[in-house]
C-alpha cells in the first residue's frame, strides 16, 4: 500500500495541528481494511459464495461450533465477535433506550436527510456506491435496507449474541469486506487517489453518521432525547462499531470523540463531485420528497421539495448543501425557528413518565405500518443487499 495520503485528501497539516495523534491515526487508517473480515472473504471464492454466507448466518444464529467445516478465518472472526468487551453494558443500553421509538416519525426523516446525505459530501467515501450501483439504481431500496439494519439494532436486546441486530451488523461487516475485495481487484478503483475502499477511517465515520448527526438532527427538529438516553445511544454505537470491526484507536467512546472524528473528516474530505450531487438528487426525488408528501396534507405537496431542501440545510449546514447542489430556501429559517418550540413541548412531555410508554407504542405502530408501505411501494422484501434478488448492476454481496 502507498505510504502517503490519498491524493484527494486535503488539509493534512491543519488537521494534525488541531487533532494531533487522532488525525495521524486517521490518515494511516486510509490504507487499512478489516483483516478478520477480509480474511474470511478471501476464503469465500474457495468455499463458494452461497455456502460461505450460509456458514456466516449459522455462526451468527447458533454459534461457530454449529459450523463444523468452518474455515479458520471464520473461527478467528467469531473469536473476536464472541468476546464481548468489558466496557459493554447491554442491560443498561436496553434500559436507557427503551423509549426512543416515541420519535419514530422524526427519526425516519433524519435518517434520509441528515445521516445518509451527510456521507455524500465525500467523493471517495461514496465511490463504492457508484461502482456497485447501490443508489442511483434504487435509492428507496437501499434506504429501506439501511433502515432494516437500524431497526434491528435498536430493538430491545437487538445487539445480544444471537439477536437479529447482532446478525445484521455482522453481515454489514462482511458486505463491506466483499465490496472492498471486489473493488481492490478492479482497474477502475484509483487506490492512490481514494485509499482502500471502505477504509477504517471512513468506516469509523459511519458511527458519526448514525449517532452524532441524527442526535443533533433530532434536537434541531424538536425531538430531543433525554441525557441518559443520549449517553446510552453513544454506548450502543460504540459496541456497534466494535462489531463492525473498527480499529479501537478510531472507535469513539462518546460525543466529544465523535465530534473530533467528524472534525477531521469534514476538514480533510475530498471535494464533492457530480456523482455526489447525483446521489443527493436520487434520494431526494426517489425517496425523501415522496415520503414528505405522505405525511403532509395534499395542498402542501408542492412545497415538499423545498421542505426537504430546508431540512437538509438545517442538518448539514449551508456550505456543504451548496456544494451538493441542494436548493436554498427560506423555509430553512422556519425549520430552525420552529424546532426549539416543538422541542420544548416534547421535553415537557418527556418529564411525565406515564406518557413515554403510550408514545413509544404509537411510534412502533407507525414504524411497522411505514415499513409495510415502503416495502410494498419499492418492491423490497429482503433485509440487506446480500439477500436481495438479482437484477440491475451486479453487487459483490449478491454472489
Amino acid at each position: 500500500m502507498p505510504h502517503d495520503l490519498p491524493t484527494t485528501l486535503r488539509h493534512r497539516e491543519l488537521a494534525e495541528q488541531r487533532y494531533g495523534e487522532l488525525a495521524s491515526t486517521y490518515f494511516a487508517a486510509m490504507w487499512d481494511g478489516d483483516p478478520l473480515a477480509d480474511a474470511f472473504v478471501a476464503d469465500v471464492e474457495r468455499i463458494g459464495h452461497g455456502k460461505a454466507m450460509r456458514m456466516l448466518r449459522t455462526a451468527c444464529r447458533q454459534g461457530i461450533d454449529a459450523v463444523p467445516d468452518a474455515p479458520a478465518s471464520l473461527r478467528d472472526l467469531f473469536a473476536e465477535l464472541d468476546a464481548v468487551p468489558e466496557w459493554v453494558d447491554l442491560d443498561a443500553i436496553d434500559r436507557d433506550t427503551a423509549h426512543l421509538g416515541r420519535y419514530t416519525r422524526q427519526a425516519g426523516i433524519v435518517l434520509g436527510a441528515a445521516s445518509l446525505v451527510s456521507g455524500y459530501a465525500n467523493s471517495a467515501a461514496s465511490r463504492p456506491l457508484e461502482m456497485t450501483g447501490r443508489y442511483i439504481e434504487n435509492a428507496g431500496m437501499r434506504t429501506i435496507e439501511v433502515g432494516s439494519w437500524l431497526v434491528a439494532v435498536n430493538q430491545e436486546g437487538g445487539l445480544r449474541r444471537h439477536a437479529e441486530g447482532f446478525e445484521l451488523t455482522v453481515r454489514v461487516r462482511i458486505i463491506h469486506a466483499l465490496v472492498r475485495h471486489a473493488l481492490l481487484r478492479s482497474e477502475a478503483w484509483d487506490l492512490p487517489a481514494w485509499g482502500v475502499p471502505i477504509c477504517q477511517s471512513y468506516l469509523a465515520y459511519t458511527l458519526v453518521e448514525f449517532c452524532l448527526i441524527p442526535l443533533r438532527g433530532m434536537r434541531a427538529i424538536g425531538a430531543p432525547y433525554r441525557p441518559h438516553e443520549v449517553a446510552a445511544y453513544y454506548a450502543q454505537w460504540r459496541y456497534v462499531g466494535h462489531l463492525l470491526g473498527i480499529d479501537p484507536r478510531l472507535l469513539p467512546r462518546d460525543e466529544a470523540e465523535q465530534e473530533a472524528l467528524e472534525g477531521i473528516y469534514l476538514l480533510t474530505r475530498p471535494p464533492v463531485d457530480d456523482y455526489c450531487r447525483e446521489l443527493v438528487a436520487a434520494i431526494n426525488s426517489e425517496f425523501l420528497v415522496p415520503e414528505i408528501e405522505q405525511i403532509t396534507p395534499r395542498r402542501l405537496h408542492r412545497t415538499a421539495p423545498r421542505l426537504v431542501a430546508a431540512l437538509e440545510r438545517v442538518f448539514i449546514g449551508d456550505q456543504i448543501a451548496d456544494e451538493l447542489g441542494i436548493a436554498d430556501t427560506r423555509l430553512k429559517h422556519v425549520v430552525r425557528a420552529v424546532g426549539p418550540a416543538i422541542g420544548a413541548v416534547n421535553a415537557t412531555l418527556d418529564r411525565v413518565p406515564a406518557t413515554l410508554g403510550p408514545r413509544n407504542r404509537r411510534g412502533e405502530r407507525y414504524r411497522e405500518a411505514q415499513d409495510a408501505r415502503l416495502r410494498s411501494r419499492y418492491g423490497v422484501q429482503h433485509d440487506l443487499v446480500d439477500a436481495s434478488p438479482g437484477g440491475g448492476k451486479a453487487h459483490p454481496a449478491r454472489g
Side-chain angles (χ1 to χ4, degrees), residues 211-344:
C211 186
L212 174 65
I213 289 173
L215 288 174
R216 194 161 56 204
M218 296 290 278
R219 287 196 301 271
I221 59 174
Y225 295 123
R226 296 170 293 172
H228 69 279
E229 292 174 322
V230 171
Y233 206 66
Y234 281 106
Q236 179 189 59
W237 279 94
R238 183 185 180 191
Y239 185 45
V240 171
H242 168 76
L243 296 178
L244 287 172
I246 296 175
D247 187 322
R249 297 173 300 167
L250 285 172
L251 184 59
R253 294 171 292 184
D254 53 27
E255 181 178 17
E257 293 189 0
Q258 287 209 18
E259 287 177 339
L261 192 61
E262 180 187 38
I264 298 170
Y265 176 90
L266 292 177
L267 183 62
T268 64
R269 63 185 172 86
V272 165
D273 62 12
D274 287 341
Y275 181 70
C276 297
R277 299 181 188 97
E278 290 174 10
L279 282 171
V280 173
I283 192 174
N284 286 351
S285 64
E286 295 185 27
F287 187 76
L288 286 173
V289 169
E291 293 314 303
I292 289 294
E293 290 174 346
Q294 286 287 330
I295 61 174
T296 56
R298 182 176 294 276
R299 67 180 181 277
L300 298 178
H301 284 186
R302 69 180 185 278
T303 68
R306 288 191 293 128
L307 180 54
V308 168
L311 289 166
E312 289 171 342
R313 284 187 169 268
V314 169
F315 293 149
I316 66 176
D318 285 323
Q319 178 183 341
I320 295 177
D322 286 341
E323 294 178 42
L324 288 170
I326 296 170
D328 204 351
T329 169
R330 287 178 293 180
L331 273 178
K332 67 185 180 184
H333 303 302
V334 176
V335 174
R336 289 182 177 131
V338 170
I342 297 174

Side-chain angles (χ1 to χ4, degrees), residues 64 74-83:
I64 189 63
L74 189 61
R75 292 189 174 276
D76 290 343
L77 174 63
F78 275 86
E80 177 191 80
L81 292 170
D82 287 335

Side-chain angles (χ1 to χ4, degrees), residues 8 153 157 177 194 338 348:
T8 53
V153 164
W194 303 326
V338 170
T348 299

Side-chain angles (χ1 to χ4, degrees), residues 87-109:
W87 44 262
V88 178
D89 187 343
L90 292 174
D91 290 334
I93 290 172
D94 284 343
R95 180 186 66 242
D96 292 338
T97 60
H99 295 113
L100 298 187
R102 67 189 185 277
Y103 292 132
T104 296
R105 290 175 183 265
Q106 297 91 329
I109 294 171

Side-chain angles (χ1 to χ4, degrees), residues 2 11 27 45 53 69 72 77 111-112 129 164 207 257 263 280 282 292 300 331-332 348 356 367 370:
H11 308 308
F27 293 142
E45 287 184 314
M53 297 306 287
D69 52 348
L77 174 63
L111 168 63
L129 288 175
E164 182 184 14
L207 299 191
E257 293 189 0
V280 173
I292 289 294
L300 298 178
L331 273 178
K332 67 185 180 184
T348 299
L356 296 174
R367 180 192 62 76
Q370 279 289 89

